[in-house]
Amino acid sequence: MVNKLPEDFTLHRYGIDVRLVNEDDAEFIIKLRNDDRNSKFLSKTTINIYEQINWIREYKIREKEGKDYYFLFSFNQMPVGLYRIYNIENDSFVCGSWAFNPDSQSGLGILGCIIGREVAYEDLKLEKCFTDVLVDNISSISFQKAFHPKTLKTENGKIYFEHYKENFYKYKDKFIQICLKLNNNGSN
């Protein structure tokens, strides 16, 4: 049986508010994903607001089926980032589309990634996490490797990792403490 998040899922953790993306977020998604500072390591998304809204509508169908979840992160009531858990099958998931406003406070992007994985492991009861990172995205590769994943392959300009749940819990607190000290944004 697939665990599912409620349609009105919200969470407040590490000073960050988290909820599922909705159609009203289309403009923010377009702006963030097409920001030159982010788009270097992300696939471009449409700049057409109506196409983005339709994409979100299709996403919401997969969300109801428990296959994919797209999260919006806010700090001080301002949207700052996005993160996806997708391709959920059996006990595994892929995480990605990790994009945070480059002008947001230090550490929020790291905390967003940690929260996303906590939701996958704790709320959805998933066990295996897969990621892929462009080989030029040195900072993301370093972050991924800090959790001691298995490198599956390097192909078509990407490195593919399999993350272990026990390693995530072994190393996450170090990152949480660093991020919270960077911006004193509270806890839980």
Side-chain angles (χ1 to χ4, degrees):
M1 180 175 166
V2 175
N3 290 304
K4 295 181 184 177
L5 297 178
E7 288 181 35
D8 62 349
F9 173 83
T10 60
L11 179 68
H12 180 81
R13 190 171 287 167
Y14 314 125
I16 302 173
D17 293 306
V18 186
R19 66 170 172 78
L20 295 169
V21 162
N22 63 50
E23 292 177 25
D24 294 336
D25 300 319
E27 187 175 337
F28 174 73
I29 293 168
I30 289 170
K31 182 179 176 185
L32 186 64
R33 289 187 57 89
N34 288 290
D35 182 306
D36 289 338
R37 296 169 291 175
N38 283 333
S39 62
K40 181 177 181 182
F41 300 118
L42 293 172
S43 55
K44 291 275 188 187
T45 190
T46 181
I47 58 170
N48 181 304
I49 190 88
Y50 300 105
E51 288 178 18
Q52 186 65 54
I53 289 170
N54 284 331
W55 188 89
I56 293 169
R57 287 178 181 156
E58 291 295 317
Y59 208 90
K60 296 306 249 183
I61 293 169
R62 295 191 303 278
E63 181 182 288
K64 285 180 183 177
E65 296 170 348
K67 294 179 181 177
D68 298 345
Y69 294 98
Y70 200 9
F71 301 97
L72 181 128
F73 296 84
S74 297
F75 183 71
N76 290 335
Q77 300 178 340
M78 295 295 298
V80 293
L82 302 164
Y83 188 82
R84 288 193 317 144
I85 298 172
Y86 58 103
N87 292 347
I88 298 171
E89 290 184 28
N90 301 316
D91 67 347
S92 70
F93 66 101
V94 177
C95 63
S97 301
W98 180 23
F100 272 71
N101 182 336
D103 297 323
S104 63
Q105 284 191 322
S106 296
L108 292 183
I110 298 291
L111 291 172
C113 178
I114 288 170
I115 292 167
R117 290 186 191 182
E118 288 174 339
V119 169
Y121 292 134
E122 297 166 17
D123 296 281
L124 297 172
K125 308 294 186 216
L126 300 169
E127 295 292 323
K128 295 180 195 170
C129 174
F130 296 93
T131 58
D132 60 80
V133 181
L134 291 172
V135 295
D136 295 336
N137 194 344
I138 304 303
S139 62
S140 183
I141 291 169
S142 295
F143 177 70
Q144 301 299 329
K145 286 184 174 183
F147 290 92
H148 301 268
K150 177 180 179 182
T151 301
L152 299 174
K153 63 183 175 181
T154 301
E155 183 177 87
N156 297 325
K158 292 183 179 181
I159 301 174
Y160 293 81
F161 297 106
E162 178 180 356
H163 288 270
Y164 303 104
K165 184 177 180 178
E166 59 272 8
N167 284 353
F168 172 75
Y169 284 99
K170 185 175 181 180
Y171 298 107
K172 77 169 185 147
D173 288 339
K174 173 179 81 169
F175 287 101
I176 293 168
Q177 294 309 312
I178 291 168
C179 292
L180 292 177
K181 285 179 186 175
L182 282 173
N183 58 37
N184 257 346
N185 67 1
S187 63
N188 295 348

